[in-house]
């Protein structure tokens, strides 16, 4: 059988020449057999070098199995493939300078194989996937951190799975009989859909957003109603558009598993509670909310029944509710601008601002920006309170008021001198005046807290804090604009 495989046979005890073409001697027979075996076996070569790289292309670890490739192949992969215009996602197999690069990505790690010969590429990809599954069986997770935490074990496994580029044993059950070292395992993340979690909570009645055993020496609840107002007013004082986007932010430091109930002066809430609708203590004027969104802790079925927000709060700070109101918006300021253009070289501005909230309240950090033409040379400004100056970079007069009391009217007058030019013949477009402010203990929507009740089986006393805030400005989430024409 051996002689038949080598390409010659015996007849009468004498060796006859092989019938392969081009082979006429015994030396030629052996040379032809060797070349044939090399060509056949080379198709079973999986890799010459194996690299594990992070997303930047930095080498985490690598192993060279044959001497037909250089050690700097990872640099060529990073510069020619990762940082190329097409990127690594266009084609998983590339040929660079006579070397074949095959790569695939698992989480935040690139697995790269390099071969010099025309090897079986399907075998290379199968090998990479099997290596990843093998490492997962030791580490639970395959990522950059798990590789860095298990350098010694990874190199020991890589020595066993390949021999001179040929795949060997890759079955985890067999390798664990010989490599008994345990790796640094990563805790598996439980992948569970949101619908499955909700179904579990509904069946078991468990609270997934709050852990048990929470204890505080002082039990407190902080409730903030924060509203951002968006308003556009004409130069004559007519409101063209006004709406309020608000949210209720809670910060809970409560022991145990408390059940809270919040009552608001919502119109539908008062319709369900006739005793409050008659104007009882804390009822105030009813408001109508256009839309509301709640935190996952809110019991929506109870809200639809009695219009009260019932919930078991998470520990710490969270957004309990978000809402929007477009009707019955109370404006904190009224602005009356009078702007006159005198020829082409002068502009006169007279601005009056009146606060409409209560006299016991005040606004903080009020900033009024009054636009001026681009060709402004200088501005003479007089204010009844605060500080004002011309900001050339913003093309406006900036009027800052540290504290603006309620039911107060303040004014600004300015004479603006312009540079006469013949290049720009377009008329001044007069952008709107903008306001930035914060008014504590005031809500533009009129929303009020009627009650906040806390039940807990321990029966402890709770300290409750309620705060209101209305704001507007580029960094406050709202716009307050008054047209100048």
């Amino acid at each position: 059988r051996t002689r038949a495989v080598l390409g010659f046979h015996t007849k009468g005890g004498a060796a006859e020449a092989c019938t392969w073409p081009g082979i006429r001697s015994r030396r030629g027979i052996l040379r032809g057999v060797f070349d044939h075996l090399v060509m056949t076996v080379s198709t079973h070569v999986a890799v010459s070098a194996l690299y594990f790289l992070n997303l930047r292309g930095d080498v985490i670890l690598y192993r060279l199995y044959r001497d037909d490739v250089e050690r700097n192949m990872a640099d060529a992969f990073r510069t020619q493939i990762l940082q190329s215009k097409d990127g690594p996602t266009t084609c998983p197999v590339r040929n660079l300078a006579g070397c074949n690069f095959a790569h695939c990505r698992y989480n935040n790690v690139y697995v790269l194989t390099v071969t010099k010969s025309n090897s079986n590429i399907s075998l290379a990809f199968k090998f990479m996937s099997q290596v990843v599954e093998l490492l997962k069986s030791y580490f639970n997770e395959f990522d950059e951190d798990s590789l860095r935490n298990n350098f010694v074990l990874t190199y020991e496994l890589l020595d066993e799975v390949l021999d001179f580029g040929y795949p060997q044993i890759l079955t985890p059950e067999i390798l664990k009989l010989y490599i008994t070292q345990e790796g640094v395992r990563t805790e598996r993340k439980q992948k569970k859909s949101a619908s499955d979690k909700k179904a579990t909570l509904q069946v078991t009645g468990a609270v997934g957003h709050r852990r048990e055993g929470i204890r505080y020496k002082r039990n407190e609840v902080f409730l903030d109603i924060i509203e951002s107002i968006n308003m556009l007013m004409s130069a004559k004082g007519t409101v063209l558009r006004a709406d309020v986007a608000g949210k209720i932010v809670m910060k809970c430091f409560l022991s145990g598993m408390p059940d809270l109930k919040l009552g608001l002066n919502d119109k539908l809430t008062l319709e369900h509670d006739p005793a409050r609708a008659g104007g009882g203590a804390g009822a105030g004027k009813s408001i109508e909310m256009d839309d509301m969104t709640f935190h996952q802790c809110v019991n929506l079925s109870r809200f639809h029944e009695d219009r009260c927000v019932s919930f078991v709060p998470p520990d710490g700070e969270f957004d309990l509710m978000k809402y929007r109101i477009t009707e019955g918006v109370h404006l904190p300021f009224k602005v009356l601008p009078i702007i006159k253009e005198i020829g082409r070289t002068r502009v006169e501005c007279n601005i009056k601002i009146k606060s409409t909230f209560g006299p016991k309240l005040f606004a903080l950090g009020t900033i009024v920006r009054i636009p001026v033409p681009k060709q402004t040379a200088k501005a003479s400004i007089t204010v009844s309170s605060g500080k004002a100056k011309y900001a050339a970079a913003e093309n406006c007069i900036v009027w800052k008021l540290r504290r603006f009391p309620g039911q107060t009217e303040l004014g600004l007058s300015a004479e603006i001198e312009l540079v006469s030019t013949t290049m720009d013949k377009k008329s001044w477009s007069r952008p709107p005046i903008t306001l930035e402010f914060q008014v504590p203990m005031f809500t533009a929507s009129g929303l009020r807290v009627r009650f906040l009740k806390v039940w807990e089986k321990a029966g402890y006393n709770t300290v409750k804090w309620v705060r209101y805030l209305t704001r507007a400005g580029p960094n406050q989430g709202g716009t307050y604009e008054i047209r100048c024409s």
Side-chain angles (χ1 to χ4, degrees), residues 51-59 71-84 87-89 91-96 99-105 109-114 128:
Y51 294 87
F52 295 91
L53 306 97
N54 59 17
L55 298 183
R56 297 187 303 271
D58 300 329
V59 178
R71 294 178 179 269
N72 59 352
M73 288 298 172
D75 297 334
F77 174 77
R78 181 176 59 252
T79 57
Q80 300 295 327
I81 298 178
L82 278 185
Q83 299 177 0
S84 65
T89 59
C91 182
V93 182
R94 298 280 293 274
N95 183 279
L96 298 174
C99 292
N100 300 313
F101 291 78
H103 71 277
C104 54
R105 176 178 171 179
V109 176
Y110 283 109
V111 183
L112 171 67
T113 61
V114 184
M128 286 189 283

Coordinates of all heavy atoms in Angstrom, one line a residue, residues 51-59 71-84 87-89 91-96 99-105 109-114 128:
Y51 N -3.9 37.1 16.3 CA -3.9 38.4 17.1 C -5.2 38.6 17.7 O -6.3 38.4 17.1 CB -3.5 39.5 16.2 CG -2.1 39.5 15.6 CD1 -1.8 38.8 14.4 CD2 -1.0 40.1 16.2 CE1 -0.6 38.8 13.8 CE2 0.3 40.1 15.7 CZ 0.5 39.4 14.5 OH 1.7 39.4 13.9
F52 N -5.2 39.2 18.9 CA -6.4 39.8 19.5 C -6.1 41.3 19.7 O -5.2 41.7 20.4 CB -6.6 39.1 20.9 CG -7.0 37.7 20.8 CD1 -6.0 36.7 20.8 CD2 -8.3 37.3 20.6 CE1 -6.3 35.3 20.7 CE2 -8.6 35.9 20.5 CZ -7.6 34.9 20.5
L53 N -6.9 42.1 19.1 CA -6.7 43.6 19.1 C -8.0 44.3 19.6 O -9.1 43.8 19.4 CB -6.4 44.1 17.7 CG -5.2 43.5 17.0 CD1 -5.7 42.4 16.0 CD2 -4.4 44.5 16.2
N54 N -7.8 45.4 20.2 CA -9.0 46.2 20.7 C -9.5 47.1 19.5 O -8.9 47.0 18.4 CB -8.6 47.1 21.9 CG -7.5 48.1 21.6 OD1 -7.1 48.3 20.5 ND2 -6.9 48.6 22.7
L55 N -10.5 47.9 19.7 CA -11.1 48.6 18.6 C -10.2 49.7 18.0 O -10.4 50.2 16.9 CB -12.4 49.3 19.1 CG -13.5 48.3 19.6 CD1 -14.7 49.1 20.0 CD2 -13.8 47.3 18.5
R56 N -9.2 50.1 18.8 CA -8.2 51.1 18.3 C -7.1 50.5 17.4 O -6.3 51.1 16.8 CB -7.5 51.9 19.4 CG -8.5 52.7 20.2 CD -7.7 53.6 21.2 NE -6.9 52.8 22.1 CZ -7.3 52.3 23.3 NH1 -8.6 52.5 23.7 NH2 -6.6 51.5 24.0
G57 N -7.0 49.1 17.5 CA -6.0 48.4 16.8 C -4.8 48.1 17.6 O -3.8 47.5 17.1
D58 N -4.8 48.3 18.9 CA -3.7 48.0 19.8 C -3.8 46.5 20.1 O -4.9 45.9 20.3 CB -3.8 48.8 21.1 CG -3.7 50.3 20.8 OD1 -3.1 50.6 19.9 OD2 -4.4 51.0 21.6
V59 N -2.6 45.8 20.1 CA -2.5 44.4 20.3 C -2.7 44.1 21.8 O -2.0 44.6 22.7 CB -1.2 43.9 19.9 CG1 -1.1 42.4 20.2 CG2 -1.0 44.1 18.4
R71 N 6.4 39.8 12.7 CA 5.7 40.1 13.9 C 4.9 41.4 13.9 O 4.0 41.7 14.7 CB 6.7 40.3 15.1 CG 7.4 39.0 15.4 CD 8.4 39.2 16.5 NE 9.1 37.9 16.9 CZ 8.7 37.1 17.9 NH1 7.6 37.5 18.6 NH2 9.3 36.0 18.2
N72 N 5.2 42.3 12.9 CA 4.5 43.6 12.8 C 3.3 43.5 11.9 O 2.9 44.6 11.3 CB 5.5 44.6 12.3 CG 6.0 44.3 10.9 OD1 5.8 43.2 10.4 ND2 6.8 45.2 10.3
M73 N 2.6 42.4 11.7 CA 1.4 42.3 10.9 C 0.3 43.1 11.5 O -0.6 43.5 10.8 CB 1.0 40.8 10.7 CG 2.0 40.1 9.8 SD 2.0 40.8 8.1 CE 3.4 39.9 7.4
A74 N 0.3 43.2 12.8 CA -0.8 44.0 13.5 C -0.8 45.4 13.1 O -1.8 46.1 12.9 CB -0.7 43.8 15.0
D75 N 0.5 46.0 12.9 CA 0.6 47.4 12.4 C 0.0 47.6 11.0 O -0.7 48.6 10.8 CB 2.0 47.8 12.5 CG 2.6 47.8 13.9 OD1 1.8 47.9 14.8 OD2 3.8 47.6 14.0
A76 N 0.2 46.6 10.2 CA -0.3 46.7 8.8 C -1.8 46.6 8.8 O -2.5 47.3 8.1 CB 0.3 45.6 7.9
F77 N -2.4 45.8 9.7 CA -3.8 45.7 9.8 C -4.4 47.0 10.3 O -5.5 47.4 9.9 CB -4.2 44.5 10.8 CG -5.6 44.4 11.1 CD1 -6.5 43.8 10.2 CD2 -6.1 44.8 12.3 CE1 -7.9 43.7 10.5 CE2 -7.5 44.7 12.6 CZ -8.3 44.2 11.7
R78 N -3.8 47.6 11.3 CA -4.3 48.8 11.9 C -4.3 50.0 10.9 O -5.2 50.8 10.7 CB -3.5 49.2 13.1 CG -4.0 50.5 13.8 CD -3.3 50.8 15.1 NE -1.9 50.9 14.9 CZ -1.0 50.0 15.3 NH1 -1.4 48.9 15.9 NH2 0.3 50.2 15.1
T79 N -3.1 50.1 10.1 CA -3.0 51.3 9.2 C -3.7 51.1 7.9 O -4.3 52.0 7.4 CB -1.5 51.6 9.0 OG1 -0.9 50.4 8.5 CG2 -0.8 52.0 10.3
Q80 N -3.7 49.8 7.4 CA -4.2 49.6 6.0 C -5.7 49.2 6.0 O -6.3 49.3 5.0 CB -3.4 48.5 5.4 CG -1.9 48.8 5.2 CD -1.7 50.0 4.3 OE1 -2.4 50.2 3.3 NE2 -0.6 50.8 4.6
I81 N -6.2 48.7 7.1 CA -7.5 48.2 7.2 C -8.4 49.0 8.2 O -9.4 49.5 7.8 CB -7.6 46.7 7.5 CG1 -6.8 45.9 6.4 CG2 -9.0 46.2 7.6 CD1 -6.7 44.4 6.7
L82 N -8.0 49.0 9.4 CA -8.8 49.7 10.4 C -8.9 51.2 10.1 O -10.0 51.8 10.2 CB -8.2 49.5 11.8 CG -8.5 48.2 12.5 CD1 -8.0 48.2 14.0 CD2 -10.0 48.0 12.6
Q83 N -7.8 51.8 9.8 CA -7.8 53.3 9.6 C -8.0 53.7 8.1 O -7.8 54.8 7.8 CB -6.5 53.9 10.1 CG -6.2 53.6 11.6 CD -4.9 54.1 12.1 OE1 -4.1 54.7 11.3 NE2 -4.6 54.0 13.3
S84 N -8.3 52.7 7.3 CA -8.5 53.0 5.9 C -9.9 53.7 5.7 O -10.7 53.8 6.6 CB -8.5 51.7 5.0 OG -9.6 50.9 5.4
G87 N -12.7 51.2 5.9 CA -12.9 50.7 7.2 C -12.9 49.1 7.2 O -12.8 48.5 6.2
P88 N -13.0 48.5 8.4 CA -12.9 47.1 8.5 C -14.2 46.3 8.2 O -14.2 45.1 8.1 CB -12.5 46.8 10.0 CG -13.2 48.0 10.7 CD -13.1 49.2 9.7
T89 N -15.3 47.0 7.9 CA -16.6 46.4 7.7 C -16.9 46.0 6.3 O -17.8 45.3 6.0 CB -17.7 47.3 8.2 OG1 -17.7 48.5 7.5 CG2 -17.6 47.6 9.7
C91 N -14.9 44.3 3.9 CA -14.6 43.0 3.5 C -13.8 42.3 4.7 O -12.8 42.9 5.1 CB -13.8 43.0 2.2 SG -13.3 41.3 1.7
P92 N -14.1 41.1 5.1 CA -13.4 40.5 6.2 C -12.1 39.9 5.8 O -11.3 39.4 6.7 CB -14.4 39.5 6.8 CG -15.2 39.1 5.6 CD -15.3 40.4 4.8
V93 N -11.9 39.8 4.5 CA -10.6 39.1 4.0 C -9.9 40.1 3.1 O -10.5 40.6 2.2 CB -11.0 37.8 3.2 CG1 -9.7 37.2 2.8 CG2 -11.8 36.9 4.1
R94 N -8.6 40.3 3.4 CA -7.8 41.2 2.5 C -6.5 40.6 2.3 O -5.9 39.9 3.1 CB -7.7 42.6 3.2 CG -8.9 43.4 3.5 CD -9.4 44.1 2.2 NE -8.5 45.1 1.9 CZ -8.6 46.4 2.4 NH1 -9.5 46.7 3.3 NH2 -7.7 47.3 2.0
N95 N -5.9 41.0 1.2 CA -4.5 40.5 0.8 C -3.6 41.8 0.8 O -3.8 42.6 -0.1 CB -4.5 39.8 -0.5 CG -3.1 39.2 -0.8 OD1 -2.3 39.9 -1.3 ND2 -2.9 37.9 -0.5
L96 N -2.6 41.8 1.6 CA -1.7 42.9 1.7 C -0.2 42.4 1.6 O 0.1 41.5 2.5 CB -1.9 43.7 3.0 CG -3.2 44.4 3.2 CD1 -3.3 45.0 4.5 CD2 -3.5 45.4 2.1
C99 N 0.3 38.7 2.0 CA -0.2 38.0 3.2 C -1.7 38.1 3.2 O -2.3 39.2 2.9 CB 0.4 38.6 4.5 SG 2.1 38.3 4.7
N100 N -2.4 37.1 3.6 CA -3.9 37.1 3.7 C -4.3 37.4 5.1 O -3.9 36.7 6.1 CB -4.4 35.7 3.3 CG -4.0 35.3 1.9 OD1 -4.1 36.1 1.0 ND2 -3.4 34.1 1.7
F101 N -5.1 38.4 5.3 CA -5.7 38.9 6.5 C -7.1 38.5 6.6 O -7.9 38.9 5.7 CB -5.5 40.4 6.7 CG -4.1 40.9 6.9 CD1 -3.3 41.0 5.8 CD2 -3.6 41.2 8.1 CE1 -2.0 41.4 5.9 CE2 -2.3 41.6 8.3 CZ -1.5 41.7 7.1
A102 N -7.5 37.8 7.6 CA -8.9 37.5 7.9 C -9.3 37.9 9.3 O -8.6 37.5 10.2 CB -9.2 36.0 7.7
H103 N -10.3 38.7 9.5 CA -10.7 39.2 10.8 C -12.2 39.1 11.0 O -13.0 39.1 10.1 CB -10.2 40.6 11.0 CG -10.9 41.6 10.1 ND1 -10.7 41.9 8.8 CD2 -12.0 42.4 10.5 CE1 -11.5 42.8 8.4 NE2 -12.3 43.1 9.3
C104 N -12.5 39.1 12.3 CA -13.9 39.2 12.7 C -14.0 39.9 14.0 O -13.0 39.9 14.8 CB -14.6 37.9 12.7 SG -13.8 36.6 13.7
R105 N -15.1 40.5 14.3 CA -15.2 41.3 15.6 C -16.2 40.6 16.5 O -17.3 40.2 16.1 CB -15.7 42.7 15.3 CG -15.9 43.6 16.5 CD -16.4 45.0 16.1 NE -16.8 45.7 17.3 CZ -17.2 47.0 17.3 NH1 -17.3 47.7 16.2 NH2 -17.6 47.6 18.4
V109 N -13.5 43.4 20.6 CA -12.2 42.7 20.3 C -12.2 42.3 18.8 O -13.2 41.7 18.4 CB -11.9 41.5 21.2 CG1 -10.7 40.8 20.8 CG2 -11.8 42.0 22.6
Y110 N -11.1 42.6 18.1 CA -10.9 42.1 16.8 C -10.1 40.8 16.9 O -9.0 40.8 17.5 CB -10.2 43.1 15.8 CG -11.1 44.2 15.3 CD1 -11.0 45.5 15.8 CD2 -12.1 43.9 14.4 CE1 -11.8 46.5 15.3 CE2 -12.9 44.9 13.9 CZ -12.8 46.2 14.4 OH -13.6 47.2 13.9
V111 N -10.5 39.7 16.3 CA -9.7 38.5 16.2 C -9.2 38.4 14.8 O -9.9 38.4 13.8 CB -10.6 37.2 16.5 CG1 -9.7 36.0 16.4 CG2 -11.2 37.4 17.8
L112 N -7.8 38.4 14.6 CA -7.2 38.5 13.3 C -6.3 37.3 13.1 O -5.5 36.9 14.0 CB -6.3 39.8 13.3 CG -5.4 39.9 12.1 CD1 -6.2 40.1 10.8 CD2 -4.5 41.1 12.3
T113 N -6.4 36.7 11.9 CA -5.5 35.6 11.5 C -4.8 36.0 10.3 O -5.3 36.7 9.4 CB -6.3 34.3 11.2 OG1 -7.2 34.5 10.1 CG2 -7.0 33.8 12.4
V114 N -3.5 35.6 10.2 CA -2.6 36.0 9.1 C -2.0 34.7 8.5 O -1.5 33.9 9.3 CB -1.5 37.0 9.5 CG1 -0.7 37.4 8.3 CG2 -2.1 38.2 10.2
M128 N -11.6 30.7 14.3 CA -11.7 31.9 15.1 C -13.0 31.8 16.0 O -13.0 32.1 17.2 CB -11.8 33.1 14.2 CG -10.4 33.5 13.7 SD -10.4 35.1 12.9 CE -11.2 34.7 11.3

